[in-house]
Amino acid sequence: MGARLVAVGKFSPREFRLMSDRTLVGSAPTNSLVLDHETVSRRHATLDRHDGAHWITDLGSTNGTFVNGARATRSIRLRDGDEISFGAVKYVLRADEPPVIDTRNDDARRRPVARQLIVALPIILIVAATGYFFIGNFNDLEMASVSDHPTVIATIALAPRSTVTPETAAIATIAPSPTKVIDSSGATDWLAVLNGYRASASGARDGRSSFQQR
């Protein structure tokens, strides 16, 4: 525990801080606390710090050492506010107060963050709901467009590939189409039709043989 001695009256020094584990008090200049007063002995008393407290011991001084008016005949444990007299020179022991941690700044820093979260939460919910609404409507519109316009989807389908080969193309070019022979009366001559089919078949065979020779 840190402590200091505060003078009562016009004694010097006005204040003395107990920094070391042992403080020598007296009028001799070799002491830690030098009290230039006629009632103070050259080696008057000691102030020791141990076990978390300060203890005072008189060194056989002429005018004695007193704690709260009682003469110290042995080592006495000192407490905050005790009055100590070295002869006629009086001091009061003041214990250093532990540092006070100011948590107000931490609270002040936390408040804006919490306030921002409270303000931002409704905005986040609104944005999420809006996005969900538009995505749902887009899907509905897409399904409606497919059901309302099936012909548009049908036109996108790929046309089947042609199976025409060069051989079949040459045969189709060479082979004449069958002809119909119709008489003036509008009746079909079946013999003429048969002869036309025969000629067509013969021409097709000739075309295939000439294509192969090439």
Side-chain angles (χ1 to χ4, degrees):
M1 177 183 67
R4 54 197 168 90
L5 295 175
V6 180
V8 178
K10 296 181 179 180
F11 299 106
S12 179
R14 297 293 301 165
E15 182 175 305
F16 182 84
R17 186 169 293 276
L18 303 174
M19 301 293 293
S20 60
D21 293 337
R22 166 161 284 197
T23 302
L24 295 174
V25 183
S27 60
T30 56
N31 290 291
S32 305
L33 174 57
V34 179
L35 300 177
D36 188 13
H37 194 272
E38 58 186 12
T39 61
V40 177
S41 300
R42 289 179 59 83
R43 295 181 73 253
H44 197 101
T46 61
L47 288 165
D48 298 310
R49 181 175 61 188
H50 57 83
D51 298 333
H54 286 87
W55 299 74
I56 190 166
T57 304
D58 185 74
L59 297 178
S61 62
T62 303
N63 296 306
T65 301
F66 299 82
V67 177
N68 296 325
R71 187 160 187 164
T73 57
R74 55 182 175 81
S75 295
I76 298 176
R77 180 175 179 173
L78 300 176
R79 291 175 174 81
D80 183 33
D82 285 347
E83 184 182 87
I84 306 168
S85 299
F86 304 99
V89 179
K90 295 182 180 182
Y91 282 86
V92 174
L93 180 71
R94 294 299 183 190
D96 291 338
E97 296 180 359
V100 178
I101 300 175
D102 189 3
T103 60
R104 292 176 297 177
N105 293 333
D106 295 337
D107 295 339
R109 285 192 294 268
R110 292 192 191 101
R111 288 195 194 102
V113 176
R115 190 178 297 111
Q116 291 174 3
L117 290 176
I118 294 173
V119 173
L121 184 59
I123 298 175
I124 294 173
L125 293 176
I126 292 173
V127 172
T130 304
Y132 179 80
F133 174 77
F134 278 110
I135 292 173
N137 285 347
F138 178 78
N139 291 335
D140 293 341
L141 290 174
E142 186 177 12
M143 295 299 297
S145 63
V146 171
S147 60
D148 293 342
H149 305 283
T151 56
V152 177
I153 306 301
T155 56
I156 301 175
L158 295 175
R161 290 185 178 180
S162 175
T163 57
V164 178
T165 61
E167 292 80 359
T168 56
I171 294 172
T173 304
I174 297 171
S177 60
T179 58
K180 290 183 180 181
V181 179
I182 303 174
D183 57 3
S184 59
S185 61
T188 303
D189 188 351
W190 64 270
L191 184 58
V193 172
L194 180 59
N195 292 330
Y197 278 110
R198 287 178 178 176
S200 298
S202 177
R205 285 196 299 271
D206 295 339
R208 284 197 297 269
S209 62
S210 64
F211 182 80
Q212 292 175 357
Q213 290 176 0
R214 294 177 186 177

